[in-house]
Amino acid sequence: FKDEEDYKNAFKDFIGKLPTDGFLIANHDDDNAREVAESKKDVQKIFFSLKDKSADWYFDGNQVIHNGEIVGEMNLSIPGDFNMMNAICGLILRSIIDPPVAVSLENINNFKGTWRRFEELGDFDGIKVISDYAHHPTAIRKTLAAAHEKYPDQKICSIFQPHQYNRTKHFISEFANAFGDAEYVIIPDIYKVRDKKEDLEAISAEELVNELKK
């Protein structure tokens, strides 16, 4: 994508394919998501929020509220506000397909997570080892924030292998500012994926480490 506008246009094209009897579930807390959603005039839009009571669905602490009424309580075993947003999207979808959502909420609360999404692998010498696929700056920030949320009194060591030379070069300044919630950061060599020779010569793991040190 050339720029943010180009990126938003891709989503506008995507939701443009929705039929008139379709539904669009969108994040009310994100300005870009709201703008994209409002560009589609002929479908029913359902907005969710982590805090805004003007949204169709929102959270009040752990309580899920729909149109001013308490649906139930969401107590996820996996941390992070992004997981709460993912979960409420699933709940909203269930409410469209089959309105009683009590069973879905119970299943969501019993969900233990999935492979490489804040996956707790176990303990080693008192150190809890967690695997996560976060490979771009926003995901890294969210994942480290989730780790601090779940383990507020623990120090965090982030071992991050950059994925793709081209991406590392393009987002180097964003990567450099993504690890604020980690006390220690370890950077191995960049993982090569679809990279050309000029990409390999344009960036190195050492350069990313130097940016992090700044």
Side-chain angles (χ1 to χ4, degrees):
F1 299 102
K2 295 180 297 183
D3 51 32
E4 190 174 75
E5 203 60 36
D6 190 36
Y7 191 70
K8 287 188 288 188
N9 286 336
F11 279 93
K12 289 176 182 178
D13 290 342
F14 177 62
I15 67 171
K17 302 179 190 301
L18 278 170
T20 54
D21 61 347
F23 295 84
L24 177 59
I25 303 168
N27 180 6
H28 189 272
D29 296 339
D30 186 273
D31 292 341
N32 288 332
R34 275 204 321 276
E35 177 191 330
V36 169
E38 295 296 356
S39 72
K40 180 69 173 171
K41 303 296 184 185
D42 56 353
V43 295
Q44 181 175 333
K45 290 182 277 289
I46 303 168
F47 288 99
F48 63 90
S49 171
L50 286 176
K51 53 187 181 249
D52 193 333
K53 296 181 179 181
S54 69
D56 303 297
W57 294 70
Y58 64 90
F59 286 98
D60 184 2
N62 286 344
Q63 287 186 325
V64 180
I65 313 294
H66 176 219
N67 291 337
E69 295 186 6
I70 298 173
V71 174
E73 194 166 287
M74 188 178 288
N75 297 296
L76 300 181
S77 63
I78 44 177
D81 56 7
F82 56 97
N83 281 317
M84 291 182 73
M85 288 191 283
N86 287 340
I88 201 169
C89 283
L91 200 62
I92 294 168
L93 181 59
R94 168 62 190 259
S95 76
I96 294 169
I97 297 170
D98 187 5
V101 297
V103 173
S104 293
L105 194 54
E106 181 182 353
N107 289 336
I108 286 170
N109 287 334
N110 289 331
F111 180 61
K112 301 303 179 186
T114 187
W115 180 64
R116 297 197 67 196
R117 296 295 186 184
F118 211 89
E119 179 187 9
E120 297 196 7
L121 301 180
D123 291 271
F124 177 77
D125 282 352
I127 300 168
K128 189 164 291 293
V129 181
I130 296 165
S131 173
D132 198 280
Y133 182 62
H135 60 282
H136 58 82
T138 303
I140 292 167
R141 283 196 302 273
K142 290 285 189 180
T143 301
L144 291 176
H148 259 302
E149 174 190 319
K150 187 160 187 179
Y151 303 105
D153 300 323
Q154 303 296 316
K155 290 184 177 179
I156 295 175
C157 175
S158 174
I159 303 172
F160 172 67
Q161 182 173 31
H163 189 271
Q164 194 177 350
Y165 282 76
N166 184 280
R167 179 188 288 123
T168 305
K169 179 175 175 58
H170 188 78
F171 289 113
I172 189 164
S173 60
E174 288 88 347
F175 277 125
N177 289 291
F179 293 89
D181 276 329
E183 280 76 17
Y184 306 96
V185 182
I186 298 172
I187 307 287
D189 287 337
I190 300 171
Y191 188 79
K192 179 184 174 183
V193 186
R194 302 187 304 275
D195 289 298
K196 301 174 184 176
K197 182 181 178 182
E198 53 265 34
D199 295 324
L200 305 183
E201 296 170 348
I203 190 70
S204 67
E206 288 78 10
E207 289 180 63
L208 177 55
V209 169
N210 289 334
E211 288 299 313
L212 281 164
K213 286 179 177 179
K214 292 179 185 177

